[in-house]
Amino acid sequence: MTTTIKLADPNIEYPSSDGEPVAETYLHLYAILTTLEVLKQYLTSRQATVLANQFLYYAQGFPKLRVAPDVMVIFDVQPGGRDNYKVWEEGQVPQVVFEMTSKGTQKQDQEQKKLLYEQLGILEYWLFDPKGEWVNEKLQGYRLQDEIYHPITDNLSQPLGLRLEVQGELLRFYRLDTGDKLLIPTELAELVEQERQRADQERQRAELLAEHLRALGVDPESLS
């Protein structure tokens, strides 16, 4: 018996963009970008990548079979960005997907995408509704068990090792091992500024002490 191996057509194009907007409102865009950045920072030392609003191609040779999750996390792949993600090249499907949903995308997110992610074997699927238009308490997660999605009732992400919490119009994350909250970019910038101010204050105090010692006839360098 002869087995015929069908090679991939090198002329098939897999576009990285369809010209559609990233998100329908500023709140949805901000939720996407903060989730992307927070998870990227959290997984910096891991063999993983976090992508946002980029095409996930899941069937080689069929470029129309694609989906663009708002945020997806893939483990056991090369870290760094991609213009798009091809499952057959990377060897992994995403483990976690987030969709920033709205009333306008409810049917697609709750039906088509949920079924597709379930069939692809994506371990967790999270729906975050920043405007609170249809999701109860703005957040609902699903975990794959026996090839079927079941609701997550404790807001814990097992693949990520994080607890999810809604704070206003943002999705926030807390480490399960330490309880620490993962900081969003504005909070990180504030922390850096606080550290800079503290360092300036320490430097000013040191300079004042040195001046006082010199006035007493003591060389500050002799005390070091």
Side-chain angles (χ1 to χ4, degrees), residues 56-72:
L56 166 67
Y57 289 98
Y58 49 88
Q60 186 175 11
F62 298 90
K64 291 187 178 180
L65 296 181
R66 65 193 187 192
V67 65
D70 285 335
V71 179
M72 55 180 167

Side-chain angles (χ1 to χ4, degrees), residues 82-194:
R82 287 112 163 113
D83 292 333
N84 54 49
Y85 187 89
K86 303 181 183 73
V87 170
W88 61 91
E89 289 185 356
E90 306 275 357
Q92 297 287 343
V93 298
Q95 280 74 40
V96 185
V97 161
F98 296 87
E99 294 290 354
M100 311 310 172
T101 190
S102 68
K103 193 68 176 176
T105 64
Q106 176 182 355
K107 183 176 178 65
Q108 182 183 28
D109 295 334
Q110 182 66 11
E111 296 180 11
Q112 293 106 310
K113 284 189 176 181
K114 182 181 176 184
L115 178 60
L116 175 61
Y117 296 153
E118 190 178 70
Q119 292 173 339
L120 290 176
I122 293 171
L123 297 179
E124 287 184 357
Y125 175 39
W126 293 89
L127 288 166
F128 176 54
D129 181 4
K131 287 189 171 184
E133 293 179 322
W134 73 274
V135 178
N136 184 37
E137 298 183 354
K138 297 186 178 182
L139 180 65
Q140 178 60 64
Y142 298 92
R143 183 174 295 123
L144 198 64
Q145 296 176 348
D146 299 323
E147 301 182 350
I148 297 175
Y149 275 142
H150 297 268
I152 297 174
T153 57
D154 54 11
N155 286 352
L156 301 183
S157 173
Q158 293 179 352
L160 293 175
L162 297 171
R163 176 174 60 85
L164 283 63
E165 183 177 306
V166 175
Q167 291 184 5
E169 295 157 343
L170 286 180
L171 190 57
R172 305 308 304 267
F173 301 88
Y174 294 79
R175 296 180 63 121
L176 294 181
D177 54 354
T178 65
D180 293 340
K181 179 168 71 173
L182 304 186
L183 302 182
I184 62 175
T186 53
E187 292 170 336
L188 286 171
E190 291 173 0
L191 185 62
V192 169
E193 177 60 21
Q194 291 172 3

